[in-house]
Amino acid sequence: MPIWLFIVVSVIKSIILLFILLTAVAYSVWLERKVVGHMQNRWGPTRVGPFGLLQPAADGLKFLFKEDLTPPHVYKPLYIAAPMIAVVFALTSISVIPFGNSVTIGGYSIPFQVTDVNTGLLLILGVTSIGVYGVALAGWSSNNKYSLLGGLRASAQMVSYEISLGLSLVGVLIMAGSFSLRQIVDAQAGHFWGFIPRWNIFHGQIIGFFCYLIAAYAETNRVPFDLPEAETELVAGYHTEYSAMKFAMFFMAEYANMITVACLATLLFLGGWRGPVFGPPILQAILPVFWFFVKVFCFMFVYIWVRGTLPRFRYDQLMAFGWKFLLPLAILNLIGTAVAVAW
Amino acid sequence: MAHMTASPVLEPGQDRTMILNMGPQHPSTHGVLRVLLEIDGETVVRIMPDIGYLHTGIEKTCEAKFYQQVVPLTDRIDYLCPLTNNLCYVLAVEKLLGLEIPPKAQWLRVLLNELTRINSHLVWLGTHAMDIGAMTVFLYCFREREEVLRMFEMVSGQRMMTSYFRVGGIALEPPLGFFDRVRDFAGYFPEKVDEYENLLTGNPIWTMRTKGVARMTAQDAIALGTSGPTLRGSGVDFDFRRDMPYSSYDKFQFKVPISQEGDVFARYMCRVQELRESIGIVRQALDGMPEGPIKANAPHVVLPDREKMKTQMESLIYHFKIITEGFAVPAGEVYQAVESPRGEMGYYIVSDGTAKPYRVHMRAACLANLQTLPTMCEGRLIADVVAAIGSIDIVLGEIDR
Amino acid sequence: MSFVAPITDLSQLKNHPAVARLLAWNPAAVQGTKFDRDEMTIHVERGSIREACALLKDDPACPFNFLSDVTCVDWYPSEPRFEVVYHVLSIAKKERVRLKVRLHSSSPAVDSVTAVWPGANYFEREVFDLFGIRFTGHPYLRRILMPEDWEGHPLRKDYPVEGYR
Amino acid sequence: MVPLSYYLVLSGILFACGVTGFLIKRNIITIFMSIELMLNGVNLSFVAFAAHWHALAGQVFVFFVMVVAAAESAVGLAIIIAVFRARETLNADQLNLLKL
Amino acid sequence: MLHLTLFLAFAVVAVAGAVNLLAQRHPINSALSLIAVMAALAGEYLLLGAEFVAAIQVIVYAGAIMVLFVFVIMLLNAGVEERTNGSRVAIVFGIPGMLIGGVLVAWAVLRSSGGEQVAIGALPGPPAEIANLLFHEFLLPFEITSILILIAIMGAVVLASKPQAVQKRKEH
């Protein structure tokens, strides 16, 4: 493939992916409001469009046209940069995630992925670890005590749980023997006894999945780990002083992170795009992507479900849970996997 | 004690502490409570509640009203249990007058009071759970509360500011279908309480957040003048309904739930069990509802029925007199306490023999309960302050009056 | 409506546990008693209210250990103008007694009972705020409901309803 | 194709900046960051040499440097916090007593 | 050509970040410029084919160590650096001195080793090979660093925890 074609294809893929991702972000907000609404004995959005389906558009418009307030005592450069940092790094990590097998168009094999990096998983971890700065700097630059506490909580929490998150993935890495997400998915092909899919979650990584699930909730600041923005304690935490589009960026970053985390869980533990494939070639190309999105959706649903069920941790309990329970569990899982693979 | 020496304008002390001004506009200070926190990181070093943002001078207003005109004012004190306030006030005035209240009115008052307690506890449970992050419970609680409010609307025409009790009885007969509706509610409500408890009581995060948090010993609780579930959560077995009965509460069978631990969880369990006890009292009141009048036989105090007023000259004159010049109350003073959902709701009324009260003072349970905050929270985390404020169930309308 | 006339005779009431306890301690401290509508009122001499409260709180026979309420009544223009009213409850015996202290308008001050019951703190602050009674020995006597710079004490009878102009 | 020397020059510039920062900065945290900058400069030369000599050991050294840097920053920042608690300042000029 | 362009782009970012670190007076700005330097260096590592090191650079340096720095700056609420006479002297003499020294070194390096080139992706450093090296040839140093880390963690915990006296005072 000539270099110009590669660049053109990459740009097109990026644009499509960005469009899909932003739509997914908007509609996961809608989904959350709808699902939590039904769990909580209410309707969620119903007025804008059928089933409130146009609500995300209305929200987006509202965010766009709201006055963008900048409080007088903020540290302006960082105050403006922080939401951008958050949203940029949240959106970047999606670029190495494969959504399905490759399709062949015009003799060229084009994978459902912006770019296939050997160390894709490491890249995602690195990018998400930089995402902390958005939250931390937002909290600090707002010059507000609630924001500062939120920012402090966020950075401590995200750094702590990143360790468990990373360690919970090592089991999968050992089994696949690669950092490449595509190869990890390929390692999960096949079935046990002909019907149980050979996904990592059924393949000895159930504890790893559990650790990942919890650490992922903490990384994305979701219930029951939503301390950085605990509205009953810190008003709105690090984004107390933000309004209009800047607030929307944090919002987008949070949901984009959720989607990334869900994609990663699907790829690493739930067999990626693997699923029954049948029918004509076009269907065979599309179905894996469909299965991928179904799994991501299930993971997102669990996210929302948990939000409707659990109360919130306290700061010290959160730290104790991360360091004294989750980290040893992840290490145990790692040791167990290593021993099993070596044996 | 530490809270005795708190200074009004908290200055940051040594060790790089920070002053956090929580409220009066804050999601979890339940109204317009302002709490000044001196924090070291996340740890609260000192805490000082600041109140008065909702002060409306109701006590002063009462002095300019006829006795019967005070009843609507009492609704506004504690807007979560208006009927309890109504009851306490009318009981105090009736005591001043020496009125005998017919049994049906008394039983209706008990019935409505327990519904009020359920209403108030549901709001408490919902907001308390939301403070700790469990949002779903909040909406579940409000679902049932809505039903209670509809019942209030049915009897009094108002959802919150009921003003349903009158000096000498009750304003109106409850409408047709009211008792069926209450019975229906009493039938399914215990299941709903199970539902809340399923979401909270056994939940590990909930127990982590509440057990051992914001402890208070029985001695402290008594010394600080707390009452109601806040007192009973510390293991003091005292309930005005049982120990100093009023409005024929002595004819009902109910348990007074107490817990020994004195932490947030203990107070939570007390209130949740009170929900069950209250619905039991409601059921007893429904089953044993006596027949008879709902107003005392005291024509110069109690407004006549509409029907009589239109047909009997005497009633019309009484009506005119009561409305225009009120009714004189013999000189004297009484203090009447009732068990409100929050604790000891007391009305101290001084009469000088005229138709207007000389002095009305409301003893607010929350005002005393709020004083426990420093004892409970100093040395703990910010999140515990939120849990503690939730667990003492404050209503700022009552605190500031 | 049937009234039992108030009993004000000290000799008839001296068997009441609170009265008996106070009389045994210092007969001069009890300025008068009244039993009206099933409620016991004891007028306590101004200087001895704190000791009287401490004494009643530790009464072995009937410990009045719970301070329900502290408030005040303004009898303007008669003198002594203020009556500070304490409602004390015995949780064990389920008895209630009302203590009263009469204060002259020239020096509206009385000992604070916060040393006996820390819970009197807010109640006394409220009385100070709304009536201008000073509680000596109170740890933190500041306005509680009204703003710090408010002029006058609103619940006094001579306070203009629309505020001082 | 980039000459090896370019990498080394870049590495040298970063190291020099680090040294300069270490000398001229007064804020103890910034001084600490200058040290990290020096380490980064050195790391670059390690990786460049590894690429040049086709020896992966260079990358392994970078790994070790990072581990040491992490340990150093953990202890160093803890010391900074402790010093700040005692002295209420971050100015290196005022931290001239060993005694707390 | 592409390689050189990319190298220069990352180099410019890195140097600009390093200079900005020196120029900024607020520590948080310095920290952010240092993060930029580290990100640019990660880019350089990628150019040199060291994917694993690049990823680790971002995760460990930018994602953990610098977060710690930012966290401490936020925690201590560090303000703008004060100017002192000492620092002015250092600027007057130090910066020109450093510049001269740097130019000399660069000149020497360029003169002595002008011709040798490093190709793009010259040395693919797959994680597996690095791991092999780390756990076979460098096993002892690896274990020693792990002990070092452990000691560092314990030291940090001891140092950062509050002195007993302060805690005692809090309890009263």
Side-chain angles (χ1 to χ4, degrees):
Chain A
M1 186 185 291
I3 185 97
W4 65 267
L5 187 60
F6 176 77
I7 291 175
V8 167
V9 169
S10 293
V11 166
I12 290 172
K13 279 199 289 195
S14 303
I15 290 170
I16 292 174
L17 191 65
L18 203 61
F19 177 74
I20 292 175
L21 183 63
L22 290 179
T23 316
V25 164
Y27 277 92
S28 51
V29 178
W30 175 85
L31 184 76
E32 166 148 28
R33 291 174 65 177
K34 209 71 185 166
V35 171
V36 165
H38 279 276
M39 281 176 184
Q40 292 174 343
N41 191 33
R42 54 200 172 93
W43 284 107
T46 52
R47 291 304 173 94
V48 193
F51 308 107
L53 273 172
L54 295 178
Q55 187 70 40
D59 284 348
L61 273 180
K62 192 186 80 175
F63 278 132
L64 211 59
F65 288 115
K66 276 218 157 179
E67 186 186 354
D68 198 354
L69 289 169
T70 306
H73 297 293
V74 299
Y75 185 63
K76 233 177 166 178
L78 292 184
Y79 176 80
I80 293 168
M84 296 180 187
I85 294 175
V87 79
V88 164
F89 285 101
L91 295 180
T92 308
S93 49
I94 207 83
S95 63
V96 294
I97 286 178
F99 295 93
N101 276 322
S102 40
V103 286
T104 310
I105 298 170
Y108 298 113
S109 168
I110 297 170
F112 277 110
Q113 187 178 17
V114 172
T115 166
D116 189 4
V117 188
N118 272 338
T119 50
L121 186 57
L122 281 179
L123 196 133
I124 289 179
L125 285 181
V127 167
T128 45
S129 69
I130 291 190
V132 184
Y133 289 111
V135 175
L137 294 178
W140 182 81
S141 65
S142 293
N143 198 10
N144 174 323
K145 288 167 184 169
Y146 291 116
S147 302
L148 180 67
L149 283 173
L152 282 174
R153 280 179 173 190
S155 33
Q157 172 181 336
M158 284 161 106
V159 169
S160 303
Y161 277 78
E162 214 166 70
I163 300 170
S164 308
L165 184 82
L167 281 177
S168 66
L169 301 181
V170 178
V172 173
L173 293 179
I174 290 176
M175 295 178 61
S178 170
F179 278 115
S180 162
L181 293 166
R182 197 164 277 281
Q183 285 178 30
I184 291 173
V185 174
D186 287 339
Q188 300 178 52
H191 292 85
F192 294 117
W193 305 302
F195 64 97
I196 300 177
R198 225 180 139 86
W199 300 347
N200 276 331
I201 185 171
F202 303 124
H203 197 188
Q205 286 304 315
I206 183 82
I207 297 174
F209 180 70
F210 176 69
C211 291
Y212 174 81
L213 193 71
I214 295 173
Y217 281 31
E219 278 289 294
T220 47
N221 300 330
R222 291 282 302 184
V223 172
F225 303 100
D226 60 338
L227 284 98
E229 46 192 300
E231 81 269 8
T232 49
E233 293 155 30
L234 302 183
V235 187
Y238 58 88
H239 53 59
T240 305
E241 296 285 1
Y242 282 91
S243 56
M245 212 52 215
K246 295 204 198 84
F247 172 75
M249 283 186 198
F250 279 119
F251 213 65
M252 273 158 62
E254 183 180 330
Y255 282 86
N257 276 330
M258 277 166 67
I259 290 173
T260 311
V261 158
C263 289
L264 213 52
T266 309
L267 291 170
L268 297 179
F269 295 99
L270 304 177
W273 55 83
R274 309 230 155 255
V277 176
F278 46 83
I282 181 74
L283 199 61
Q284 288 200 352
I286 298 293
L287 263 179
V289 183
F290 173 74
W291 290 125
F292 184 85
F293 281 113
V294 166
K295 289 170 188 176
V296 169
F297 172 81
C298 290
F299 198 85
M300 294 290 286
F301 183 81
V302 175
Y303 250 120
I304 298 166
W305 188 8
V306 166
R307 187 187 159 191
T309 315
L310 290 180
R312 184 184 300 121
F313 273 106
R314 202 172 63 200
Y315 181 68
D316 59 332
Q317 292 165 349
L318 172 104
M319 285 294 157
F321 184 76
W323 288 103
K324 293 182 186 160
F325 173 73
L326 204 57
L327 188 60
L329 193 65
I331 291 175
L332 274 183
N333 174 56
L334 165 60
I335 293 171
T337 313
V339 167
V341 168
W343 183 51
Chain B
M1 279 188 202
H3 61 277
M4 291 298 204
T5 51
S7 64
V9 187
L10 280 173
E11 291 288 342
Q14 290 168 331
D15 307 322
R16 305 291 299 175
T17 53
M18 183 165 91
I19 304 298
L20 186 69
N21 188 6
M22 205 163 145
Q25 307 282 333
H26 187 278
S28 62
T29 51
H30 294 238
V32 285
L33 173 66
R34 172 169 171 241
V35 184
L36 284 161
L37 300 171
E38 183 184 344
I39 50 175
D40 176 18
E42 291 256 337
T43 315
V44 176
V45 182
R46 273 192 301 168
I47 176 168
M48 196 185 128
D50 181 20
I51 59 173
Y53 290 91
L54 217 56
H55 180 54
T56 45
I58 285 182
E59 290 183 9
K60 184 82 174 172
T61 316
C62 292
E63 292 171 10
K65 303 274 180 199
F66 294 133
Y67 277 94
Q68 75 269 29
Q69 288 174 323
V70 173
V71 174
L73 291 176
T74 62
D75 291 333
R76 271 98 184 147
I77 293 168
D78 185 343
Y79 37 77
L80 290 185
C81 54
L83 283 161
T84 313
N85 282 280
N86 293 169
L87 175 70
C88 191
Y89 172 74
V90 298
L91 281 176
V93 179
E94 283 158 7
K95 202 167 170 185
L96 270 175
L97 287 163
L99 276 186
E100 274 293 325
I101 306 304
K104 185 175 183 186
Q106 292 198 11
W107 286 58
L108 262 173
R109 283 176 177 184
V110 168
L111 172 78
L112 286 163
N113 250 284
E114 292 310 313
L115 284 176
T116 309
R117 190 180 315 278
I118 289 169
N119 166 28
S120 170
H121 278 3
L122 284 176
V123 175
W124 158 79
L125 180 61
T127 51
H128 184 41
M130 196 153 81
D131 287 348
I132 298 186
M135 199 195 168
T136 306
V137 182
F138 173 75
L139 288 141
Y140 284 3
C141 287
F142 268 58
R143 179 183 61 197
E144 270 70 67
R145 176 182 186 245
E146 197 62 21
E147 183 57 31
V148 178
L149 288 183
R150 285 200 193 113
M151 289 190 270
F152 288 168
E153 190 182 6
M154 209 168 170
V155 286
S156 69
Q158 279 278 8
R159 285 157 57 86
M160 284 179 78
M161 302 300 150
T162 48
S163 310
Y164 184 52
F165 300 154
R166 294 285 186 275
V167 177
I170 278 175
L172 295 162
E173 282 275 1
L176 280 177
F178 172 71
F179 291 118
D180 296 335
R181 193 159 184 175
V182 177
R183 200 180 293 279
D184 189 34
F185 177 75
Y188 72 75
F189 185 68
E191 289 168 31
K192 301 292 180 185
V193 180
D194 292 342
E195 196 175 320
Y196 315 143
E197 282 213 79
N198 281 341
L199 274 167
L200 297 177
T201 309
N203 188 320
I205 301 180
W206 178 262
T207 44
M208 272 165 83
R209 283 297 305 276
T210 53
K211 275 195 176 158
V213 171
R215 265 173 194 278
M216 187 171 52
T217 60
Q219 283 89 347
D220 275 352
I222 292 175
L224 289 166
T226 61
S227 47
T230 316
L231 183 66
R232 291 194 285 275
S234 289
V236 181
D237 192 6
F238 190 80
D239 187 317
F240 282 96
R241 290 176 295 171
R242 184 195 61 196
D243 297 325
M244 300 176 93
Y246 52 88
S247 194
S248 69
Y249 260 111
D250 46 347
K251 303 208 173 64
F252 291 86
Q253 302 292 319
F254 59 96
K255 285 201 294 260
V256 176
I258 60 164
S259 313
Q260 299 296 332
E261 291 78 21
D263 53 11
V264 174
F265 190 75
R267 295 189 274 277
Y268 158 77
M269 280 317 284
C270 273
R271 288 204 180 87
V272 169
Q273 286 169 33
E274 270 182 26
L275 279 175
R276 297 183 192 279
E277 294 300 326
S278 288
I279 205 72
I281 298 175
V282 166
R283 235 182 258 130
Q284 290 174 42
L286 283 173
D287 292 340
M289 183 67 67
E291 287 302 315
I294 55 160
K295 289 172 183 173
N297 182 20
H300 67 283
V301 172
V302 180
L303 282 177
D305 289 341
R306 211 74 197 159
E307 195 66 19
K308 278 189 189 163
M309 202 184 91
K310 286 176 183 162
T311 52
Q312 297 177 4
M313 194 60 200
E314 198 183 9
S315 296
L316 185 62
I317 291 169
Y318 273 128
H319 184 270
F320 182 74
K321 277 186 72 104
I322 293 171
I323 295 297
T324 51
E325 44 187 62
F327 48 84
V329 170
E333 56 189 338
V334 289
Y335 179 83
Q336 173 68 45
V338 301
E339 184 76 22
S340 93
R342 269 156 280 285
E344 180 185 352
M345 171 92 247
Y347 273 67
Y348 174 60
I349 301 181
V350 181
S351 166
D352 58 353
T354 61
K356 292 177 179 175
Y358 187 76
R359 167 103 174 92
V360 179
H361 171 72
M362 296 93 175
R363 191 267 183 198
C366 298
L367 184 69
N369 289 356
L370 187 65
Q371 296 185 66
T372 60
L373 216 49
T375 320
M376 285 179 180
C377 297
E378 275 172 12
R380 303 200 66 94
L381 298 173
I382 296 178
D384 290 338
V385 175
V386 172
I389 292 175
S391 79
I392 55 177
D393 188 17
I394 48 169
V395 167
L396 267 297
E398 190 185 14
I399 291 176
D400 293 345
R401 297 184 300 281
Chain C
M1 274 187 273
S2 56
F3 272 119
V4 182
I7 310 169
T8 48
D9 185 8
L10 187 57
S11 58
Q12 279 184 48
L13 296 169
K14 67 185 173 202
N15 290 328
H16 186 276
V19 183
R21 175 95 171 156
L22 288 181
L23 284 176
W25 167 61
N26 181 6
V30 182
Q31 289 180 328
T33 49
K34 191 170 92 173
F35 187 77
D36 181 19
R37 296 175 170 93
D38 286 334
E39 290 181 10
M40 187 72 203
T41 309
I42 306 174
H43 288 271
V44 180
E45 194 268 322
R46 173 177 157 184
S48 45
I49 180 69
R50 187 186 293 162
E51 285 85 351
C53 285
L55 213 65
L56 289 179
K57 186 188 172 193
D58 298 329
D59 189 342
C62 181
F64 287 94
N65 54 352
F66 187 86
L67 179 75
S68 275
D69 190 22
V70 179
T71 187
C72 181
V73 183
D74 179 12
W75 290 105
Y76 180 80
S78 60
E79 289 290 349
R81 181 172 165 185
F82 297 109
E83 263 181 357
V84 181
V85 186
Y86 301 81
H87 287 101
V88 189
L89 175 75
S90 168
I91 285 184
K93 297 286 174 186
K94 305 168 183 31
E95 279 277 344
R96 199 189 279 286
V97 70
R98 179 185 298 134
L99 303 179
K100 277 191 176 180
V101 178
R102 293 204 172 108
L103 298 178
H104 214 269
S105 63
S106 55
S107 69
V110 66
D111 280 346
S112 163
V113 297
T114 45
V116 185
W117 287 291
N121 189 342
Y122 280 15
F123 293 119
E124 289 186 346
R125 275 178 71 185
E126 188 187 314
V127 171
F128 164 73
D129 188 358
L130 302 178
F131 286 93
I133 310 281
R134 304 209 148 265
F135 290 89
T136 48
H138 191 284
Y140 181 60
L141 198 62
R142 310 271 299 234
R143 285 193 181 275
I144 185 168
L145 295 177
M146 308 302 286
E148 280 282 311
D149 54 351
W150 192 261
E151 195 188 335
H153 300 283
L155 276 185
R156 287 190 175 186
K157 287 282 176 183
D158 57 350
Y159 180 84
V161 176
E162 293 176 352
Y164 291 106
R165 290 279 165 83
Chain D
M1 300 299 262
V2 182
L4 169 68
S5 47
Y6 283 25
Y7 283 103
L8 297 184
V9 168
L10 177 59
S11 150
I13 291 172
L14 292 182
F15 189 85
C17 286
V19 174
T20 317
F22 186 82
L23 293 176
I24 67 168
K25 296 307 265 187
R26 285 291 151 262
N27 189 312
I28 187 166
I29 299 179
T30 323
I31 290 175
F32 208 7
M33 284 192 274
S34 307
I35 299 174
E36 298 292 333
L37 185 58
M38 284 191 259
L39 289 174
N40 266 290
V42 173
N43 279 353
L44 179 63
S45 62
F46 268 129
V47 177
F49 277 129
H52 183 65
W53 297 114
H54 295 276
L56 273 178
Q59 296 188 13
V60 175
F61 282 139
V62 173
F63 179 77
F64 284 132
V65 170
M66 279 183 196
V67 172
V68 173
E72 172 220 336
S73 65
V75 176
L77 289 173
I79 291 175
I80 289 176
I81 290 175
V83 166
F84 186 75
R85 272 212 190 103
R87 300 285 185 77
E88 305 265 311
T89 180
L90 287 171
N91 192 330
D93 287 349
Q94 289 165 24
L95 301 174
N96 48 9
L97 286 177
L98 280 175
K99 185 157 101 31
L100 276 181
Chain E
M1 196 57 217
L2 180 68
H3 193 175
L4 185 65
T5 320
L6 284 174
F7 167 82
L8 286 178
F10 284 130
V12 166
V13 173
V15 173
V19 171
N20 196 38
L21 189 155
L22 304 185
Q24 288 293 342
R25 290 178 59 199
H26 202 292
I28 207 139
N29 291 345
S30 300
L32 290 180
S33 16
L34 188 54
I35 294 164
V37 174
M38 287 166 175
L41 284 183
E44 299 282 12
Y45 296 161
L46 278 181
L47 288 182
L48 287 166
E51 280 181 350
F52 183 71
V53 174
I56 292 292
Q57 165 92 0
V58 173
I59 294 174
V60 175
Y61 256 129
I65 298 182
M66 289 317 292
V67 172
L68 210 58
F69 272 96
V70 171
F71 185 80
V72 168
I73 293 169
M74 281 162 63
L75 190 73
L76 303 184
N77 208 1
V80 173
E81 190 177 30
E82 301 149 41
R83 287 271 182 245
T84 56
N85 290 332
S87 67
R88 203 165 292 151
V89 171
I91 288 169
V92 169
F93 292 102
I95 291 179
M98 278 331 286
L99 282 180
I100 292 165
V103 169
L104 280 175
V105 169
W107 178 73
V109 167
L110 286 176
R111 225 192 69 157
S112 65
S113 59
E116 290 152 25
Q117 307 263 302
V118 179
I120 188 166
L123 180 74
E129 283 178 34
I130 292 182
N132 264 331
L133 216 54
L134 208 54
F135 289 104
H136 289 134
E137 283 176 47
F138 293 96
L139 185 61
L140 185 66
F142 181 80
E143 292 302 331
I144 292 174
T145 46
S146 60
I147 292 171
L148 176 78
I149 283 267
L150 184 67
I151 295 170
I153 289 172
M154 294 194 315
V157 169
V158 171
L159 279 170
S161 63
K162 287 218 175 99
Q164 288 289 294
V166 178
Q167 247 162 21
K168 282 259 169 57
R169 189 144 41 85
K170 287 274 158 55
E171 277 158 22
H172 291 298

